[in-house]
Amino acid sequence: MSSCQNLSSAALGYVNRDSIETNDQEPVIPVRKPLLLDKWDSLQRNQILFVVDTVNKIDVKTQKKNLKDSLKREFDKKPKHVFLTFDDGPLVGSAAIDSLAKAKDIKVSVFLVGKHANSGKARKRDLARYESNPLIACYNHSYTHAHNRYTYFYSNPNTAFDDFEKNENDLSLKHKIVRLPGRNIWIYDDVRKIDLQSGSSTADLLFENGYKVYGWDVEWRINSLTGVPVQALETVFGKMKSFLNYKSSMTPNNVVLLMHDDMFQTKKGQELLGQLIDNLKKENYNFEFMQDYPIKY
């Protein structure tokens, strides 16, 4: 466990090399500077030991708040990163996503469904657009999308795993990155966050076999029948800004937005996506691929 008795620079992950004692016979051993995220995670997991000083009697609760505020200020000095992710493609709206990525010169992440890709010539063309666009990274969203019967699909983790593996092979996906249909589950590195237990065994099996499982922080929800968004642009944009400003996303300074390809089959949907991208650019946010998540400091 770490000890945190004050808010010195060392508490924020900085090391003063001048204070390291050395002699002429022994070389200086480089000291790894802990990431801001390391200290943040330790605080969130209650792994930091706070001690009440006998002189400056600051209670533990206040110490925790002071450290959290200090870490937030340090994060605010760093860039902020947005991950625009689109599920269920290729679908009718995929061509518009491809065109907007090029027109706006931004990175986009798409989670693909093999069954959709093989549903006809038009969808195969959409897939080819995605594959040839260097601004688009393709990831795994299962072959069948669980046939939209999620509880049944996840009741047999081995069968579900085979479905993801089939999708990877069929679409020649290069990255072992998945998003589970109907589940907001995160399993990567030492992170494990489960929304519904019925998908947890499948997610664990994927992780055990080298996959990273990513969910989302904010969803731009749509009407499942019409594909029309049910949230205003301002609402979605405001939520993204709030997550970044208050460090309340899965990882500080990183926010993942979930959208669906079929939302952008209409001119109105395409205009809204363009406006969202413009709003995010005005905030000087960086657009990233999911394979680089999270950007750490």
Side-chain angles (χ1 to χ4, degrees), residues 243-259:
F243 270 109
L244 290 168
N245 290 339
Y246 292 101
K247 318 304 172 200
S248 50
S249 53
M250 175 62 71
T251 304
N253 282 28
N254 295 253
V255 66
V256 179
L257 174 64
L258 165 63
M259 297 170 280

mmCIF file of all heavy atoms in Angstrom, residues 243-259:
data_model
loop_
_atom_site.group_PDB
_atom_site.id
_atom_site.type_symbol
_atom_site.label_atom_id
_atom_site.label_comp_id
_atom_site.label_asym_id
_atom_site.label_seq_id
_atom_site.Cartn_x
_atom_site.Cartn_y
_atom_site.Cartn_z
ATOM 1 N N PHE A 243 -18.128 14.257 -18.309
ATOM 2 C CA PHE A 243 -17.257 13.136 -17.961
ATOM 3 C C PHE A 243 -15.791 13.563 -17.974
ATOM 4 O O PHE A 243 -15.010 13.173 -17.108
ATOM 5 C CB PHE A 243 -17.473 11.975 -18.931
ATOM 6 C CG PHE A 243 -18.542 11.008 -18.498
ATOM 7 C CD1 PHE A 243 -19.749 10.944 -19.161
ATOM 8 C CD2 PHE A 243 -18.336 10.158 -17.424
ATOM 9 C CE1 PHE A 243 -20.735 10.058 -18.769
ATOM 10 C CE2 PHE A 243 -19.309 9.261 -17.021
ATOM 11 C CZ PHE A 243 -20.524 9.208 -17.699
ATOM 12 N N LEU A 244 -15.429 14.358 -18.969
ATOM 13 C CA LEU A 244 -14.032 14.781 -19.084
ATOM 14 C C LEU A 244 -13.673 15.819 -18.023
ATOM 15 O O LEU A 244 -12.600 15.768 -17.433
ATOM 16 C CB LEU A 244 -13.766 15.321 -20.490
ATOM 17 C CG LEU A 244 -13.779 14.267 -21.595
ATOM 18 C CD1 LEU A 244 -13.796 14.921 -22.978
ATOM 19 C CD2 LEU A 244 -12.568 13.335 -21.480
ATOM 20 N N ASN A 245 -14.577 16.737 -17.770
ATOM 21 C CA ASN A 245 -14.285 17.801 -16.804
ATOM 22 C C ASN A 245 -14.220 17.288 -15.372
ATOM 23 O O ASN A 245 -13.394 17.734 -14.574
ATOM 24 C CB ASN A 245 -15.326 18.914 -16.917
ATOM 25 C CG ASN A 245 -15.192 19.704 -18.207
ATOM 26 O OD1 ASN A 245 -14.141 19.706 -18.838
ATOM 27 N ND2 ASN A 245 -16.265 20.369 -18.616
ATOM 28 N N TYR A 246 -15.098 16.338 -15.036
ATOM 29 C CA TYR A 246 -15.178 15.852 -13.659
ATOM 30 C C TYR A 246 -14.421 14.535 -13.436
ATOM 31 O O TYR A 246 -14.453 13.974 -12.343
ATOM 32 C CB TYR A 246 -16.642 15.694 -13.242
ATOM 33 C CG TYR A 246 -17.359 17.014 -13.117
ATOM 34 C CD1 TYR A 246 -18.197 17.466 -14.133
ATOM 35 C CD2 TYR A 246 -17.173 17.831 -12.001
ATOM 36 C CE1 TYR A 246 -18.849 18.695 -14.035
ATOM 37 C CE2 TYR A 246 -17.818 19.056 -11.895
ATOM 38 C CZ TYR A 246 -18.649 19.481 -12.925
ATOM 39 O OH TYR A 246 -19.276 20.696 -12.829
ATOM 40 N N LYS A 247 -13.746 14.051 -14.483
ATOM 41 C CA LYS A 247 -12.933 12.826 -14.393
ATOM 42 C C LYS A 247 -13.785 11.630 -13.951
ATOM 43 O O LYS A 247 -13.341 10.777 -13.187
ATOM 44 C CB LYS A 247 -11.752 12.998 -13.407
ATOM 45 C CG LYS A 247 -11.045 14.328 -13.506
ATOM 46 C CD LYS A 247 -10.544 14.633 -14.893
ATOM 47 C CE LYS A 247 -10.014 16.053 -14.988
ATOM 48 N NZ LYS A 247 -9.968 16.543 -16.370
ATOM 49 N N SER A 248 -15.012 11.558 -14.449
ATOM 50 C CA SER A 248 -15.938 10.519 -14.002
ATOM 51 C C SER A 248 -16.138 9.406 -15.037
ATOM 52 O O SER A 248 -16.960 8.515 -14.826
ATOM 53 C CB SER A 248 -17.299 11.146 -13.655
ATOM 54 O OG SER A 248 -17.764 11.982 -14.699
ATOM 55 N N SER A 249 -15.388 9.434 -16.138
ATOM 56 C CA SER A 249 -15.437 8.347 -17.100
ATOM 57 C C SER A 249 -14.616 7.170 -16.575
ATOM 58 O O SER A 249 -13.989 7.256 -15.519
ATOM 59 C CB SER A 249 -14.907 8.816 -18.463
ATOM 60 O OG SER A 249 -13.632 9.399 -18.321
ATOM 61 N N MET A 250 -14.626 6.068 -17.306
ATOM 62 C CA MET A 250 -13.860 4.892 -16.874
ATOM 63 C C MET A 250 -12.407 5.259 -16.590
ATOM 64 O O MET A 250 -11.818 4.821 -15.598
ATOM 65 C CB MET A 250 -13.929 3.812 -17.950
ATOM 66 C CG MET A 250 -13.081 2.582 -17.669
ATOM 67 S SD MET A 250 -13.558 1.694 -16.180
ATOM 68 C CE MET A 250 -15.113 0.999 -16.733
ATOM 69 N N THR A 251 -11.817 6.075 -17.450
ATOM 70 C CA THR A 251 -10.453 6.566 -17.259
ATOM 71 C C THR A 251 -10.452 8.080 -17.400
ATOM 72 O O THR A 251 -10.999 8.597 -18.382
ATOM 73 C CB THR A 251 -9.499 5.962 -18.307
ATOM 74 O OG1 THR A 251 -9.567 4.539 -18.255
ATOM 75 C CG2 THR A 251 -8.065 6.410 -18.063
ATOM 76 N N PRO A 252 -9.879 8.817 -16.445
ATOM 77 C CA PRO A 252 -9.839 10.279 -16.558
ATOM 78 C C PRO A 252 -9.229 10.728 -17.881
ATOM 79 O O PRO A 252 -8.286 10.119 -18.392
ATOM 80 C CB PRO A 252 -8.953 10.695 -15.374
ATOM 81 C CG PRO A 252 -9.090 9.591 -14.390
ATOM 82 C CD PRO A 252 -9.230 8.339 -15.201
ATOM 83 N N ASN A 253 -9.795 11.794 -18.430
ATOM 84 C CA ASN A 253 -9.329 12.403 -19.688
ATOM 85 C C ASN A 253 -9.576 11.524 -20.909
ATOM 86 O O ASN A 253 -9.076 11.810 -21.994
ATOM 87 C CB ASN A 253 -7.855 12.784 -19.612
ATOM 88 C CG ASN A 253 -7.620 14.062 -18.829
ATOM 89 O OD1 ASN A 253 -8.394 14.392 -17.934
ATOM 90 N ND2 ASN A 253 -6.564 14.778 -19.138
ATOM 91 N N ASN A 254 -10.325 10.433 -20.746
ATOM 92 C CA ASN A 254 -10.718 9.562 -21.856
ATOM 93 C C ASN A 254 -12.226 9.366 -21.781
ATOM 94 O O ASN A 254 -12.745 9.007 -20.715
ATOM 95 C CB ASN A 254 -10.057 8.185 -21.755
ATOM 96 C CG ASN A 254 -8.545 8.220 -21.902
ATOM 97 O OD1 ASN A 254 -7.988 7.814 -22.914
ATOM 98 N ND2 ASN A 254 -7.857 8.704 -20.872
ATOM 99 N N VAL A 255 -12.934 9.575 -22.877
ATOM 100 C CA VAL A 255 -14.372 9.302 -22.873
ATOM 101 C C VAL A 255 -14.738 8.536 -24.140
ATOM 102 O O VAL A 255 -14.307 8.889 -25.238
ATOM 103 C CB VAL A 255 -15.212 10.588 -22.739
ATOM 104 C CG1 VAL A 255 -15.084 11.494 -23.957
ATOM 105 C CG2 VAL A 255 -16.673 10.255 -22.476
ATOM 106 N N VAL A 256 -15.492 7.449 -23.960
ATOM 107 C CA VAL A 256 -15.907 6.585 -25.069
ATOM 108 C C VAL A 256 -17.390 6.811 -25.326
ATOM 109 O O VAL A 256 -18.221 6.642 -24.428
ATOM 110 C CB VAL A 256 -15.654 5.097 -24.734
ATOM 111 C CG1 VAL A 256 -16.124 4.209 -25.887
ATOM 112 C CG2 VAL A 256 -14.173 4.867 -24.443
ATOM 113 N N LEU A 257 -17.708 7.193 -26.567
ATOM 114 C CA LEU A 257 -19.094 7.408 -26.978
ATOM 115 C C LEU A 257 -19.560 6.248 -27.838
ATOM 116 O O LEU A 257 -18.903 5.882 -28.816
ATOM 117 C CB LEU A 257 -19.222 8.714 -27.772
ATOM 118 C CG LEU A 257 -20.595 8.987 -28.392
ATOM 119 C CD1 LEU A 257 -21.668 9.168 -27.315
ATOM 120 C CD2 LEU A 257 -20.546 10.208 -29.318
ATOM 121 N N LEU A 258 -20.698 5.656 -27.480
ATOM 122 C CA LEU A 258 -21.312 4.591 -28.269
ATOM 123 C C LEU A 258 -22.399 5.168 -29.163
ATOM 124 O O LEU A 258 -23.285 5.898 -28.697
ATOM 125 C CB LEU A 258 -21.929 3.530 -27.337
ATOM 126 C CG LEU A 258 -22.915 2.550 -27.988
ATOM 127 C CD1 LEU A 258 -22.237 1.694 -29.044
ATOM 128 C CD2 LEU A 258 -23.594 1.692 -26.938
ATOM 129 N N MET A 259 -22.316 4.821 -30.453
ATOM 130 C CA MET A 259 -23.366 5.133 -31.416
ATOM 131 C C MET A 259 -23.621 3.877 -32.248
ATOM 132 O O MET A 259 -22.951 2.867 -32.075
ATOM 133 C CB MET A 259 -22.933 6.308 -32.309
ATOM 134 C CG MET A 259 -22.719 7.605 -31.541
ATOM 135 S SD MET A 259 -21.926 8.909 -32.522
ATOM 136 C CE MET A 259 -20.199 8.381 -32.432
#
